[in-house]
Amino acid sequence: MLLTGAEILVKSLIDEGVETLFGYPGGAVLNIYDSLYMYKDKINHILTCHEQNAAHAADGYSRATGKVGVCLATSGPGATNLVTGIATAYMDSIPIVAITGNVPKNLLGKDSFQEVDIQGITMPITKHNYIVKDVNELQKTVKEAFHIAISGRPGPVLIDIPKDITSAKAEYKNMDDIEISNKEFRVEYEKIKEVAEMINKCKKPLIYAGGGIISANARNELKNLVEKINSPICTSLMGKNSIESYHPLNIGMIGMHGTKASNLSATKSDLIIALGARFSDRVITDQENIKDAKIIHIDIDGAEINKNIKSDASIIGDLKEVLEKIIPLVNEAKHEKWNLEVNSFKNLEEKEVVDGLTPEFFFKILNKKNKDNLIITTEVGQHQMWAAQYFNFKNDRTFISSGGLGTMGYGLGAAIGAQIARPDMKVINIAGDGSFAINCNEFATAVSNNLPIITVVMNNNVLGMVRQWQNLFYDRRYSQTTLNRKTDIVKLAEAFGGIGFRVVDRDQLEDVLDKALNSKKPVIIDYVIDCDKKVLPMVAPGAPINQIISE
């Protein structure tokens, strides 16, 4: 059957199970959009206000489901507007396929109108990328792109398609007739046995879980290991959903804004078991900090092994499969003395004593309202850390945040993707007033698509995290971090067609949350807090993780 390249692309997406596409049209992708019109009963296209948010929405869709998210943009500025979203997905190992149009082949390299080398631009921030110069290769390219995005360590893949390829015709094949290479991981039994023996010999284990647990769907296996060896577990920001927040062995997030229990336990442990996590600069910056611990590192990506912290034993492979093989070989253990020591670290955590509106109070009330039907997305900054510190997560894929790249403006686009992916859940985007201003126009997309997203703006009138660093490390020289904006966030919500609330007193919050949670329309809550409220505890950049700033 002869089809145009645009038809081949759309039918290939349908064959890959794509039901939703986030994008923004333009001249170079008009043929694709014409085909999308013809197949609108098969693929739901969400028109965003900005291409960056199409990428963020595809990312949020993927994080909420585990499927490949898809976004589409035109050539030139449309393509470059995707770059931040692609880099965000790349840093957090999120599988998305980004499709861009380009000028016709005969105009490539001639500085044509709206031409950029998007393949070259995105090379460092994609697992793989393509420019399709033969319509006969398009169908196979799409299949390969989806396979690469989701296999091994997940990540973004870009397909750039010149406009004349979308109008050229080729034979459409049965997808089963298209073969692609498949890399298999074979884990050596001797390595499994070595790791199990190290776990059996240790006296003070600490499990450090990252986002790889979520990607590998290895949450049950992780919990089985934690409970079998009765080990305390800490998580990275990306690993927040790897185990329930309130599990008795969960001692919280580790690192710069981690709990005292996690940070101190790492310095006292004799064996750290890192699972699907990289030792980033926000976790541990110097191996001297954990010199008494042997390190087991298990990850799908061999490039992460020994990159930042040297391991004593390592396994490269799928976490679910590896843990399934390790667990039968480890002995049940109690580690009672060690857990008593860890619990003594827990008792060092400060309790909230401040009156007035605080992040702690907000999440205390939200936790009370939570019926395990909430997905939390965040922008980036203090509010992001408060959400990670104070919200009680039960289920996986319910915390969606930009970890590695730290992209301000990420949360609302991601919330749109997550809400479309999971209409059975209520999505709440936690924002700061600085991050909110970057992409608040995407609230129009939520309104246009009747998405009952709640955006909570922790409004302190400053760029809070940067101000916090200026306070602690720059002798309170608050250069360009006081916003002094006159924007009325409640009126802004109403102008977009949504609902706005302002909370300035504790007595208001519960009623406002009830109304927001029961609303069928998008809501923005302007939650006014003090500009000097800090994210604590904190470890200064480059400092040992047991040197903790508490006040």
Side-chain angles (χ1 to χ4, degrees):
M1 177 170 54
L2 277 177
L3 298 177
T4 66
E7 291 173 306
I8 289 171
L9 172 65
V10 174
K11 282 184 66 65
S12 296
L13 294 177
I14 294 168
D15 287 341
E16 291 294 338
V18 176
E19 297 174 345
T20 302
L21 179 90
F22 304 91
Y24 201 97
V29 288
L30 275 176
N31 293 330
I32 298 171
Y33 271 88
D34 195 49
S35 290
L36 283 170
Y37 183 87
M38 303 302 292
Y39 288 95
K40 59 187 176 183
D41 59 327
K42 299 285 183 66
I43 293 185
N44 179 32
H45 180 279
I46 302 298
L47 176 64
T48 57
C49 293
H50 190 287
E51 292 94 346
Q52 179 180 331
N53 291 300
H56 291 330
D59 176 308
Y61 185 97
S62 177
R63 295 192 204 219
T65 61
K67 299 177 181 178
V68 178
V70 184
C71 57
L72 171 63
T74 193
S75 63
T80 57
N81 282 344
L82 290 178
V83 168
T84 297
I86 294 170
T88 301
Y90 182 75
M91 290 291 284
D92 289 346
S93 304
I94 305 303
I96 69 171
V97 170
I99 301 164
T100 55
N102 213 328
V103 299
K105 283 188 300 178
N106 66 322
L107 294 179
L108 289 171
K110 297 182 178 180
D111 294 333
S112 305
F113 177 67
Q114 290 193 334
E115 180 200 357
V116 295
D117 177 11
I118 195 63
Q119 184 185 30
I121 289 169
T122 59
M123 195 168 289
I125 55 167
T126 52
K127 277 188 76 177
H128 194 70
N129 63 17
Y130 303 84
I131 181 167
V132 182
K133 294 185 177 180
D134 182 348
V135 69
N136 294 291
E137 294 297 316
L138 181 56
Q139 191 178 359
K140 182 180 181 182
T141 298
V142 173
K143 187 170 183 177
E144 279 185 359
F146 275 79
H147 175 73
I148 290 169
I150 202 72
S151 63
R153 180 178 182 169
V157 178
L158 179 128
I159 306 173
D160 190 38
I161 311 173
K163 188 172 182 179
D164 55 329
I165 298 299
T166 64
S167 59
K169 290 190 175 183
E171 190 73 27
Y172 188 77
K173 302 173 185 175
N174 187 312
M175 291 295 276
D176 293 335
D177 294 336
I178 301 174
E179 294 185 6
I180 53 176
S181 59
N182 190 15
K183 182 180 178 181
E184 293 184 7
F185 290 92
R186 289 184 174 84
V187 180
E188 298 172 19
Y189 178 75
E190 288 304 314
K191 288 196 171 186
I192 295 285
K193 188 177 176 184
E194 177 189 6
V195 164
E197 287 175 354
M198 288 176 69
I199 294 172
N200 288 335
K201 289 177 182 177
C202 76
K203 303 297 182 186
K204 296 181 175 184
L206 176 65
I207 293 174
Y208 163 41
I213 292 289
I214 308 299
S215 297
N217 296 312
R219 205 165 178 256
N220 290 338
E221 289 73 21
L222 172 68
K223 190 174 180 180
N224 290 341
L225 177 64
V226 167
E227 293 178 349
K228 188 169 186 179
I229 65 173
N230 206 39
S231 170
I233 174 173
C234 62
T235 72
S236 67
L237 179 71
M238 294 299 299
K240 282 295 297 182
N241 284 163
S242 59
I243 194 166
E244 301 96 327
S245 296
Y246 41 80
H247 190 286
L249 290 167
N250 185 358
I251 57 175
M253 193 165 64
I254 188 172
M256 180 174 282
H257 292 295
T259 63
K260 289 185 176 181
S262 291
N263 287 4
L264 294 174
S265 296
T267 65
K268 300 294 184 181
S269 170
D270 65 359
L271 180 67
I272 296 175
I273 307 165
L275 304 173
R278 57 190 182 89
F279 290 91
S280 81
D281 61 300
R282 286 300 193 263
V283 175
I284 296 171
T285 55
D286 189 346
Q287 193 140 8
E288 270 298 300
N289 300 168
I290 51 172
K291 61 184 178 182
D292 295 331
K294 290 189 174 181
I295 308 294
I296 293 171
H297 197 173
I298 304 174
D299 202 281
I300 192 74
D301 187 358
E304 291 298 339
I305 307 296
N306 298 320
K307 186 172 83 175
N308 297 326
I309 296 291
K310 188 178 183 304
S311 60
D312 296 280
S314 62
I315 297 175
I316 301 167
D318 178 81
L319 270 171
K320 189 179 183 72
E321 178 189 344
V322 172
L323 289 177
E324 284 174 346
K325 291 179 178 178
I326 288 174
I327 290 169
L329 300 181
V330 300
N331 302 326
E332 288 193 21
K334 295 296 183 185
H335 298 298
E336 291 175 346
K337 187 177 178 181
W338 169 230
N339 277 295
L340 283 172
E341 186 176 0
V342 171
N343 285 333
S344 73
F345 301 149
K346 280 185 180 181
N347 295 332
L348 299 174
E349 307 290 350
E350 284 81 11
K351 307 299 180 186
E352 185 201 14
V353 293
V354 181
D355 292 329
L357 290 184
T358 63
E360 295 96 323
F361 180 71
F362 174 83
F363 286 106
K364 176 182 177 182
I365 301 302
L366 185 61
N367 282 329
K368 188 167 76 170
K369 302 290 180 185
N370 184 18
K371 298 175 182 177
D372 297 326
N373 67 334
L374 300 181
I375 291 176
I376 301 297
T377 68
T378 79
E379 306 291 347
V380 169
Q382 289 180 312
H383 57 277
Q384 176 190 31
M385 294 298 107
W386 288 323
Q389 288 175 333
Y390 300 127
F391 187 75
N392 289 333
F393 295 95
K394 179 182 179 181
N395 301 312
D396 63 347
R397 302 193 179 281
T398 53
F399 181 63
I400 296 174
S401 189
S402 171
L405 196 64
T407 306
M408 291 177 69
Y410 166 82
L412 186 51
I416 288 167
Q419 188 67 82
I420 288 170
R422 297 295 307 275
D424 56 316
M425 305 286 277
K426 189 81 167 181
V427 179
I428 300 181
N429 178 40
I430 307 298
D433 47 333
S435 283
F436 174 73
I438 286 178
N439 275 338
C440 64
N441 57 326
E442 218 57 54
F443 193 69
T445 304
V447 172
S448 298
N449 290 278
N450 300 311
L451 303 175
I453 294 164
I454 302 169
T455 291
V456 180
V457 180
M458 297 279 173
N459 190 351
N460 55 10
N461 196 40
V462 294
L463 299 177
M465 189 63 87
V466 187
R467 177 186 169 93
Q468 177 168 328
W469 281 47
Q470 288 172 335
N471 181 284
L472 294 172
F473 312 123
Y474 291 86
D475 199 24
R476 301 184 183 181
R477 293 186 295 275
Y478 299 124
S479 177
Q480 302 303 316
T481 49
T482 301
L483 296 176
N484 281 330
R485 290 182 178 142
K486 309 303 179 186
T487 308
D488 188 320
I489 292 174
V490 172
K491 289 182 179 178
L492 184 71
E494 294 169 351
F496 274 122
I499 299 170
F501 298 103
R502 181 170 291 111
V503 176
V504 295
D505 187 271
R506 282 193 174 203
D507 293 338
Q508 297 175 282
L509 180 59
E510 195 154 354
D511 180 55
V512 165
L513 272 179
D514 284 337
K515 289 177 179 175
L517 289 167
N518 290 317
S519 174
K520 303 297 183 185
K521 297 178 71 174
V523 172
I524 300 176
I525 299 174
D526 184 13
Y527 186 78
V528 183
I529 63 173
D530 187 85
C531 67
D532 285 319
K533 179 66 179 174
K534 293 182 177 63
V535 180
L536 296 173
M538 180 182 182
V539 176
I545 58 171
N546 59 350
Q547 290 185 11
I548 300 167
I549 301 168
S550 296
E551 59 183 56

